[in-house]
Amino acid sequence: MRRQLLGDYLLNIVRKVNVTDESSQSTYIKDVALPTIAKFAYSIDSECQPQLSEKTRTLFRNRLLSAFGHLLSDLKGYSYPCDLVLSLSSDAVDMDDEIVDAKDSALSTMGKILKKIRKSEKKPDIQSKASLQALALLYSLSVFQLYNGEAEAVSILDELKICYDKLIRHKNSEDTEASEVLVELLLSFISKPSALFRKVASHVFAAFMSDMTAGELALMTDVLESGESLRGQQSLFDQESENENGEEDDELDSDVEVVDMNGGEGNFKVHSEEEQSEDDEDESSVDDEEEQSEEDKDAKKLDEALAQALGTHPLDEDAEAESDSDADMTDSEMMALDSKLVEIFSQRKKVPNRKQEQKDAKETVVNFKSRLLDLLDIYVKKQASNPLAFRLLLPLLQLMRTTKTKPLSEKAHNIIIAFAKASKGVKKEDLMEIDVDEMLKLMRDVHVEATRDPSHVFAKAASTASLLVASRLFRIDRRNGRKIVGVYAESQGAVLEDGLKIHAALFHDFANWVQSHNASV
């Protein structure tokens, strides 16, 4: 109990410190508090009597991760875990030769990165300082995961070596794409129910996002298409739903985060509200049918087991003859039957609750999508001049239309609005070259998407996305104005001739946009 109190006190001291203040308190954290927590987590201390149990070490390890979660409010906090892991003795951790080699190689590489960081302060031409800090941070936390016995820690270190060789050392390798490996790594981080890994993923993504390609962004937006169900979870993670191990339920260690659940080719096609409703409910109805089927099977198994134990027939079968099993039982027979019933109902309790599985799976997928949207929000704000950012518009609109979780829909809408606002602040000379035909096609696809949801909120989001494309085309070359008008004319023509249903807000907003640009001439 006293050791647990010590861990709690040290964590509270860390949380009281303003990490942006370079003061003696910050020095105390780096020189005393963190090393003390880490010593009881990973080192052998002969003065500890009795020796620390594995349970106590696990507690200190969790306290250390929580401390990092506070200290990594921004990327500048990278030095806390990096300096600590280099100075730490891990002699209390049982490691085989393979793991020791992985650890030594990782620490050696991290040391080289830290040297490059120090040189970057004097030589601006050296690799971006933020990228180096982000990679060093990943290395340090992955080594701590190695000490914690995380199964995937060794493979993560191998992936980081690929990123280091290609992104920092610029070694040529045709068989691997470092940025793609990094994206996959970040996706695995944000899938964990940990505030620390969410922060780390955000810092690393911000440091490397300027190097992202269209393919790597597609890896991220593909996640948004997954169903918010058990089937969607299985397709995302290629496995059945499992409980995460090593989480703490105590109030102090609040590293785990959960989302609040209450909260074509340019060709137009008419979609009735009935058809759209059927499409939206298709997956959930399939899941409901599967759930009901599983419940029926479980009930039948229980019925058969009870019938066998009691020597009767199942409830859904007719008795063909009177049974002699209703005779009085002896005490020993009654006790044997009682034991059998206890065993049957104990096994019944072990059967997973299908409804709870569905609920947990939905929360997992929604949490994953929410954290991914946080990364995309960073991207549109910092990369507003990049044409690749426009590739996020359709996936965001499609998420708004298909999700049944209101907070996700609102977050996707807010990202589109944030993109539009950030785009207005980009200077014309900073705008990158765009493919005009590709942007016009994107605008047509946005208009097609606008036909698939009659709500005013969705129409405003689609209108914002469309005008965002139009504004970029117009800023690049005012002669694109006629082409923009042509796309809107096509949509209006489809409304008149084909009976296409597009909310009037799309055209009203465009008329106001034209007038605002006309007034500025």
Side-chain angles (χ1 to χ4, degrees), residues 481-499:
R482 292 184 183 275
K483 297 176 182 178
I484 298 168
V485 172
V487 173
Y488 275 87
E490 289 175 21
S491 300
Q492 286 186 313
V495 171
L496 291 173
E497 297 176 10
D498 304 328

Side-chain angles (χ1 to χ4, degrees), residues 396-415:
L396 290 171
L397 287 172
Q398 289 162 356
L399 176 64
M400 282 189 65
R401 176 172 57 82
T402 57
T403 184
K404 293 180 175 60
T405 307
K406 188 176 180 182
L408 282 184
S409 178
E410 292 174 343
K411 183 173 279 192
H413 190 185
N414 289 336
I415 292 174

